[in-house]
Amino acid sequence: MRAVEDIILVAFVVAVVYTDWRYRRIPNAFTYPVMAAGIVLGAIEGLPGEVMANGLFDHVAGLVVGFLIAYPFYAMGGLKAGDGKYLMAVGAMRGLGLLLAGAVYGALLGGVIALGFIAVRRLRPADGPAPVGGVMKTWIPYGVALGLGTIVALALELSGRFPGAM
């Protein structure tokens, strides 16, 4: 069952990274079906299941914690709604452990991407250096960072280097 979840998750992440980079949005047509499939697959894995292990309870906990992580940042304007639904979908598909690891790696990668955007914008010779206030209002594809963080967490889990893997 885990292999099916991994295949769906990787396809989802690839689609999200592409659409967030290209169109600056994460469509509901991606997130809601993955949430639903994750809950169904969690129920097939085991009823009721255990948190941080497997089963329905872990998948539901992942969905709820994904919301709880994203909502404060969304309310403050730091995340867009699609980013929050992305986290909920990852939590629903693979549970709490992978969600938390992917979110941490995604936050770290998001910082690196943000620094890259700021450096490129500040060093752009055509416009001259941009004022810091203008740089901070630059759109940053956070779905890309979250997606890459999820892939890093999944790769570490599959390689056996992730604490509590498999």
Side-chain angles (χ1 to χ4, degrees):
M1 191 57 56
R2 208 41 92 141
V4 172
E5 292 172 1
D6 292 343
I7 290 167
I8 293 170
L9 182 66
V10 169
F12 171 66
V13 168
V14 167
V16 164
V17 167
Y18 175 76
T19 58
D20 197 34
W21 183 263
R22 176 92 164 90
Y23 303 108
R24 298 182 179 185
R25 63 183 309 263
I26 300 171
N28 290 340
F30 294 170
T31 56
Y32 289 133
V34 171
M35 285 183 217
I39 297 301
V40 168
L41 290 170
I44 293 170
E45 258 183 15
L47 288 171
E50 299 176 29
V51 173
M52 301 291 281
N54 61 20
L56 180 62
F57 194 58
D58 185 41
H59 289 245
V60 170
L63 184 134
V64 170
V65 170
F67 173 80
L68 293 174
I69 290 171
Y71 186 75
F73 296 103
Y74 169 73
M76 291 185 299
L79 280 180
K80 292 171 37 180
D83 299 324
K85 288 180 270 188
Y86 169 85
L87 289 171
M88 293 169 64
V90 169
M93 181 55 65
R94 281 301 312 276
L96 194 53
L98 191 80
L99 166 69
L100 295 175
V104 168
Y105 292 127
L108 294 172
L109 290 168
V112 170
I113 290 171
L115 289 174
F117 269 68
I118 290 169
V120 167
R121 187 121 189 246
R122 296 271 307 162
L123 299 174
R124 190 178 330 172
D127 300 335
V132 173
V135 171
M136 298 312 287
K137 293 185 191 246
T138 299
W139 168 82
I140 301 205
Y142 203 61
V144 172
L146 290 173
L148 295 175
T150 301
I151 294 298
V152 168
L154 181 62
L156 288 173
E157 179 183 283
L158 292 175
S159 71
R161 295 185 186 132
F162 184 68
M166 314 271 271

